[in-house]
Amino acid sequence: MEWYQPGDLIIGGITSQIVYHFQEILFEECPYQDLSRDPAIVTKFYQHLVALTFAVKEINKNLKILPNVSLGFHIYDSYNDVRMTYRSSLDLLYTLHKYFPNYKCDIQKNLIAVIGGLSLEVSSYMAGLLGLYKIPQLTYGSFAPKVKDPRDLPSFFSMVPNEAQQYTGIIKLLQHFGWRWIGLFAVDDDSGDHFLEVLKPLFSKHGICLAFTERLLNQDHWHNLDDIFDLINRVYLPFTNSKARTYVLYGESFTIMALNTFLFLANPDYKENISFRKVWIMTAQVDFALSGPQRSWDFQFYHGTISFMIHSNMLSGFHAFLQDRNPYSTQGDGFLKDFWEQAFDCTFPNPQGALQINEMCTGEERLESLPGPVFETYMTGHSYSIYNAVYAVAHALHVMCSSKPNSRPLVDCKRVALQDLQPWQIHPFLQGISFNNSAEETVFFNGEMEMGTGFDITTLITFPNKSFLRVKVGRVDPSAPKGKEFVINEEMMVWQTSFNQVVPLSLCNDYCDPGYHKKKKEGKPFCCYDCAPCPEGKISNQKDADDCVKCPGDRYPSKDRNQCIPKMLGFLSYEQPLGTGLASIALSLSLVTALVLGIFIQYKGTPIVKANNRDITYTLLISLLLCFLCTFLFLGLPRKVTCFLRQVAFGIIFSVAVSCVLAKTITVVVAFMATKPGSSMRKWLGKRLANSILLSCSFIQAGICMVWLGTSPPFPDLDLLSLTEEIILECNEGSVAMFYVVLGYLGLLSLISLIVAFFARKLPDSFNEAKFITFSMLIFCSVWLSFVPTYLSTKGKYMVAVEIFSILTSGAGLLACIFSPKCYIILIRPELNNRGLLTRRKN
C-alpha cells in the first residue's frame, strides 16, 4: 500500500499500521510473496498518515514558508517486518519499483527527507539504508535508540524527547504516591533490555523494589504457541499472588494487544477478577490500540492507567480535515479503503462478485463514532510529532534558501531546490531549527538532535461503550523552572473502582506506624521489613521511619513514642507543697531563734548568760537566724542575684556559726586548764581568744568564697537532660570544685569542733556546756555527711530541697542542743540561774 502526492520536493513516510504475519523463510521452497491476504490493521495509526498529509497541505497554502515550491509526499508501510521495511525504504528512493543503487533515473521524484518509523526496529532498519545516502530521517517513535552519539548517525533526528526523561518521571511518580513494591513488564527486545538496564539501578537508588520482572514477547514471536503459553504461566502468577498493586509496562505499540491476549488466554474472566485490578504505568510508546477480535473486549481493565505521552496539542483545522476523509471522494490514498473496512467492520462492493459477509460500507460512516482503541480524532502525540517533523523540514528549507549567498529573493527558491539541492545539505539547518508551530509552541532540536520538550502525564478514563478519554494530569520537563520539572495534579487522578477512589498502596508490607521503625528482614529485599517499636527515649513521628530519633532537649517522648511533648519548667517554688513546707519550717525556726536571742538579751545580766560568753552567744544566735533566713534564697525562680548569693551566703554564715561553736568549746577547755595552780593558760582567758578564733575561721571561708565568685561564679541555667519530662531551672554552681571546697572547709571546722567538744565532755559540771556542744556537733556532722550522697543522687527541685533540709536540720540541731537547756533554766527553773550553783564542782 502507498499514498503518493507529487511535488517539487518529496517527503517520504514509513508508517506502521499494517501487520502481516510472514512465514519464516527456510529456503526449502520459493518465498511467499503474495500480500493479497487480508492484513491486520491497527486502525488508530491511520491518523499518522493523515497528520503528514495535513501538514503538507498547510505548508503548500502558506506562501511565507516555501513560496513557489510545492511539497509532495510518498507514504509506505513497514508492515512491521524487517524485509518489508527495507523494501519500503527502497521504494522511497527509487520509482517504478526498479532499483538501481547509486543511480538517479527519475527526476520527477526529488526525495528530501523521510519521516519514520514508529518502533526501534523499523527506525534502525531505515537508518541503516537512508544513512548511506545521508537523507534526513525524522523518527516519531519514543524509544531508547541504539545510537547514543548523534555523530554516529548525523542524518537521524528524533521528533520526541529523550526516553531518559520518562525514567525520571516514573521514579518521581512512584515516590509521589509512595509506591515502593513494583511489578515490571518489558518487551523482550533491545529497547526492553535498555529499559531494564537503566531503570533497575534507579529503583534501588531511590528506595523502590521490584516484586518481579517479566519479559513480554514482541510481535515476532506471536506465532510460536510454546512461547505464548510459557509467558502465560509466568505472567499469570504475579497478577494473582503479588502484593504489588502498581505495574510499570514498557513495550511497543502492539504490546497492549499482546498483553490482553495473554491475560484472556490465562483467564477469560480476568476483567472481573479483583486481583487483576492494578495501577498501570505505561511509557509513551505503548498505545491503547486494539484490532480484530479484541475490539469487542472490555477495556475497563485499564481504567485509571497512568501514561507518559508524547506532548500534543490541538491544531486548528485538523479535526475538520479528518472528518473530510471519505473512501469515495479521497483520491490517491491507498490505505483508506482497508482502514475503513476494518475500522467500521464493513465491506466495500467486490467487483469480482464474491460473497459479502459483513455489512456494506456506505462512506457515510463517521470517524468520531469510533471508540478510542479503534481510532482517536484528538491528535495523538505521534501524529503531533509527524506534523512538527514536516514543518521542521519546510522551515529548514526556508532557512537554507534564505541564507544562500548571492541568491535572489525567496521567490527564486524553486530553482535552487530543483537544480542544486541535495538532502544532506539541510542537515545543519535542521539541527539549528527553531520555530513556532500553528499551536504557538516552539519546536527545536537539542544538542543530541532530539526534541527539547518533555512528556505529558495522562490518566485514562474508560467508558462502558469501549471508548476512553485521556485527561492530562501532569508533566515531565527537565527544561522547566526549578521545582517544576515534575508536576502532578493528584486531584484529577482516577483509580480503579476496587480502590474506592483513594490512592492505592503498593508495598511489600504495610507501613510502620509512628512509634515504630523499620527492621530489615533477612533474605528479603530492603522494601520488605518488620516494624519494631522505638527504644526507650526515642520516637518516630512519621510512617515508615528508617530509624527512631531522640527528642530535642526541651521535649520528651510520649507514651506511644510517636511525638515529642514539651517539657514542663521545674524549680522549687513557694506554691508547691514541698516549697511551702520548707519555707514554713525556715520561718518558724527563724522566729524561734529570734525569740531565743530576745531571751538572752533580756536576761543578759543573769549568771547563765554571762557564763557562756554573751558576745559569742549573740553572734551564734544571729548566724543561726541568718542561716534559717538564707534558705529563702534557694526557693523560687532562680535568678542571677539569688544564684550569685545563696551558696556564698550559706557557706560564710554557717562558717561563722560553727566558728562560734568552736570558740565556745575552746574557751571551755582553756578555762578549765587555767584553774590548775601555776597554769600558763590564764593569759588566754577572756574575749580575745574567742574573737580571734571566730574572725580567723570566718575570714578563711570568706576568702574561699571571694575566690569562687571572682573566678567562676554561680549563674542561672537550664538542665535539659537530668529529668525526662521536666526542664530544671537551676543555679549552675559555676565551679563545682569550689562548691565542694566551701563544704569541705565547713566540714573541717565541724569536725574540729566535734573532736574538741568530745574530749571536753567529761569536764566538771560547772563547765558542762561541752556536752551539749558535742551532741550538737554530732548532729551537725551527721547531717552534712549524709547530705553529700543524697545531694548527688537527686535531681531538680529535690536537690535544692535536700540542701535546704540539711541547712534547717543542722541549724535546728545547734539551736536545740546548745540553747534549749539554758532557756529551760532561764524560763522554767530560774532558781538554778545563780552563781553558786554554776561554780559548784562535782564531788
Side-chain angles (χ1 to χ4, degrees), residues 379-435:
M379 177 166 272
T380 65
H382 288 133
S383 297
Y384 191 69
S385 299
I386 293 172
Y387 176 86
N388 287 330
V390 176
Y391 266 90
V393 174
H395 280 280
L397 290 170
H398 173 88
V399 174
M400 184 180 66
C401 291
S402 302
S403 62
K404 194 170 183 67
N406 301 324
S407 66
R408 298 181 184 181
L410 205 59
V411 294
D412 198 33
C413 188
K414 180 176 182 179
R415 180 184 62 81
V416 175
L418 293 177
Q419 297 181 5
D420 302 326
L421 181 62
Q422 294 296 327
W424 57 265
Q425 291 178 294
I426 68 171
H427 287 172
F429 299 99
L430 268 176
Q431 293 172 10
I433 198 66
S434 179
F435 63 93

Side-chain angles (χ1 to χ4, degrees), residues 252-272:
E252 54 190 16
S253 302
F254 304 95
T255 301
I256 288 292
M257 291 187 284
L259 185 60
N260 277 0
T261 302
F262 299 148
L263 296 179
F264 176 78
L265 292 175
N267 182 357
D269 297 325
Y270 74 94
K271 296 180 291 297
E272 288 75 31

Side-chain angles (χ1 to χ4, degrees), residues 630 634 646-654 743 746 784 803 807:
C630 81
F634 291 84
R646 68 183 191 180
Q647 296 292 5
V648 173
F650 151 72
I652 294 176
I653 293 171
F654 252 94
L743 288 181
L746 184 60
W784 287 104
E803 187 168 359
I807 294 173

Side-chain angles (χ1 to χ4, degrees), residues 337-407:
K337 178 178 176 293
D338 288 319
F339 158 75
W340 206 269
E341 288 182 336
Q342 295 205 18
F344 293 102
D345 198 17
C346 62
T347 306
F348 286 102
N350 191 336
Q352 299 178 357
L355 181 63
Q356 302 292 327
I357 300 177
N358 299 325
E359 295 182 0
M360 296 292 293
C361 297
T362 64
E364 300 299 326
E365 295 85 359
R366 307 299 298 173
L367 293 177
E368 62 262 26
S369 66
L370 295 173
V374 177
F375 191 81
E376 293 184 64
T377 56
Y378 181 88
M379 177 166 272
T380 65
H382 288 133
S383 297
Y384 191 69
S385 299
I386 293 172
Y387 176 86
N388 287 330
V390 176
Y391 266 90
V393 174
H395 280 280
L397 290 170
H398 173 88
V399 174
M400 184 180 66
C401 291
S402 302
S403 62
K404 194 170 183 67
N406 301 324
S407 66

Side-chain angles (χ1 to χ4, degrees), residues 371-590:
V374 177
F375 191 81
E376 293 184 64
T377 56
Y378 181 88
M379 177 166 272
T380 65
H382 288 133
S383 297
Y384 191 69
S385 299
I386 293 172
Y387 176 86
N388 287 330
V390 176
Y391 266 90
V393 174
H395 280 280
L397 290 170
H398 173 88
V399 174
M400 184 180 66
C401 291
S402 302
S403 62
K404 194 170 183 67
N406 301 324
S407 66
R408 298 181 184 181
L410 205 59
V411 294
D412 198 33
C413 188
K414 180 176 182 179
R415 180 184 62 81
V416 175
L418 293 177
Q419 297 181 5
D420 302 326
L421 181 62
Q422 294 296 327
W424 57 265
Q425 291 178 294
I426 68 171
H427 287 172
F429 299 99
L430 268 176
Q431 293 172 10
I433 198 66
S434 179
F435 63 93
N436 289 338
N437 62 16
S438 59
E440 297 302 323
E441 291 188 334
T442 303
V443 179
F444 65 96
F445 290 104
N446 59 22
E448 297 180 354
M449 294 189 293
E450 299 165 334
M451 279 290 105
T453 57
F455 289 90
D456 292 337
I457 303 176
T458 64
T459 186
L460 193 74
I461 302 176
T462 61
F463 301 100
N465 63 355
K466 300 180 178 59
S467 62
F468 63 77
L469 175 67
R470 296 183 190 272
V471 177
K472 182 178 177 181
V473 295
R475 176 90 173 143
V476 178
D477 187 1
S479 62
K482 188 174 182 180
K484 300 292 184 180
E485 299 91 343
F486 173 83
V487 178
I488 191 76
N489 187 348
E490 192 171 335
E491 295 180 354
M492 298 181 65
M493 299 294 297
V494 295
W495 310 106
Q496 286 279 357
T497 54
S498 59
F499 298 139
N500 298 321
Q501 286 306 306
V502 296
V503 178
L505 298 178
S506 189
L507 304 168
C508 181
N509 46 262
D510 291 336
Y511 287 117
C512 290
D513 293 329
Y516 293 81
H517 68 100
K518 295 189 290 187
K519 183 179 180 181
K520 179 176 174 56
K521 285 183 178 180
E522 294 297 330
K524 296 289 186 179
F526 62 85
C527 293
C528 302
Y529 46 81
D530 293 320
C531 295
C534 289
E536 188 71 29
K538 291 187 175 183
I539 64 105
S540 64
N541 58 2
Q542 60 184 4
K543 290 183 178 180
D544 261 12
D546 292 323
D547 197 4
C548 300
V549 296
K550 287 186 176 182
C551 289
D554 59 343
R555 296 172 180 267
Y556 68 95
S558 63
K559 181 179 179 181
D560 296 328
R561 301 175 188 174
N562 58 2
Q563 62 178 325
C564 291
I565 301 175
K567 291 182 177 180
M568 301 293 291
L569 295 177
F571 60 93
L572 189 59
S573 66
Y574 293 100
E575 291 79 10
Q576 297 172 352
L578 180 60
T580 302
L582 292 174
S584 301
I585 294 172
L587 185 60
S588 300
L589 291 174
S590 300

